Amino acid sequence: MEADWILGLIGGVLIGLAGSVYLLLNGRVMGASGILGGLIDGRAQGTRGEKLAFLAGLILVPTLISLTPISSNTHVSTSAFVLIPAGLFVGIGTRLANGCTSGHGVCGISRFSLRGIVATVFYILSGGLTVVIARHLIGAI
Amino acid sequence: MYRMISSLFAGSVFGLGLMLSGMTDTTKVQGWLDVFGNWDPTLAFVMAGAIVPMMMAWRLTEHRTPVLGGSFPNPANPELGRNLVIGSVLFGMGWGLSGLCPGPAMATLGYGGWPHLLFFAAMVAGMRVAPRFRERLDMIGAKG
């Protein structure tokens, strides 16, 4: 268990360093939903190339790691009745709120953004309530 | 060109960090959200680890411009608004159900198999309808 926390801390620092590089070099907030969403709704214009390059790294590196003996089991649900609504909620919600765990959570809280803090409080409360209801009351996940 | 290389690098380190920290494992994320189950504190360590270097990075933006040109993001918007709350609640529901948020959803695309592809497709569909959803919400707001 302690090993998980240490890996969590190291991985977290790497996430923070990635956000720092994206901010200090490119001058942009590293938000996963914003980068993907900007490409989808076509508002990316001049930043299309750098957004695509970011996603290429984000997808390729974990895929390469999954080829090594390091555990890459995601334990994800295999029920379409869970995956489809979950994906829709995440997609609509993050665009409506203009950010997700990386944009509001990591990048927002670290600059003491009130929006980032409020968003994080609400998605954690909502996520916690959803897991408790879906797992312990309904037994769906 | 340099902007693309630094983006590729940032995305790669982000992916490495997500995987190393265990955030691509949905049981760890749901385990953190599940306060009535076998609570897993890992996510708090990940957030703390990520926020500290980011705080220093925001400090470094003061009175400077980005290394590769352009300008830094505007100061944080102080306005909250209804969409921020409704959106975050919806996002939290999907996050809790699946254990996936947008970063890990993309980090797992290449190796996670069909459930990850299906989740991603649904997430993209959600992002596509989000502007119309927002218009509807604004209309309800204007009436009430």
Side-chain angles (χ1 to χ4, degrees), chain A residues 4 26 74-75 111 126 136, chain B residues 6 25-26 28 74 89 116:
Chain A
D4 286 5
N26 293 54
T74 64
H75 300 106
R111 76 196 291 210
S126 162
H136 299 293
Chain B
S6 78
D25 183 347
T26 58
K28 295 201 82 63
N74 296 326
V89 168
H116 288 273

Side-chain angles (χ1 to χ4, degrees), chain B residues 66-136:
Chain B
V67 174
L68 298 176
S71 54
F72 282 120
N74 296 326
N77 180 356
E79 290 203 7
L80 296 175
R82 198 174 50 155
N83 287 350
L84 182 80
V85 173
I86 298 173
S88 296
V89 168
L90 275 175
F91 164 42
M93 286 165 62
W95 190 40
L97 277 177
S98 61
L100 289 169
C101 52
M106 292 189 280
T108 53
L109 262 186
Y111 68 91
W114 72 264
H116 288 273
L117 297 173
L118 181 63
F119 179 90
F120 182 74
M123 183 172 82
V124 169
M127 287 183 169
R128 277 190 174 281
V129 300
R132 266 168 283 167
F133 190 82
R134 186 197 303 257
E135 277 173 30
R136 283 283 172 90

Side-chain angles (χ1 to χ4, degrees), chain A residues 59-97:
Chain A
I59 295 170
L60 274 176
V61 167
T63 306
L64 290 176
I65 298 171
S66 76
L67 302 174
T68 69
I70 296 172
S71 167
S72 58
N73 195 336
T74 64
H75 300 106
V76 76
S77 167
T78 51
S79 163
F81 295 105
V82 171
L83 293 166
I84 293 174
L88 284 172
F89 288 156
V90 171
I92 296 175
T94 53
R95 291 311 277 159
L96 204 59

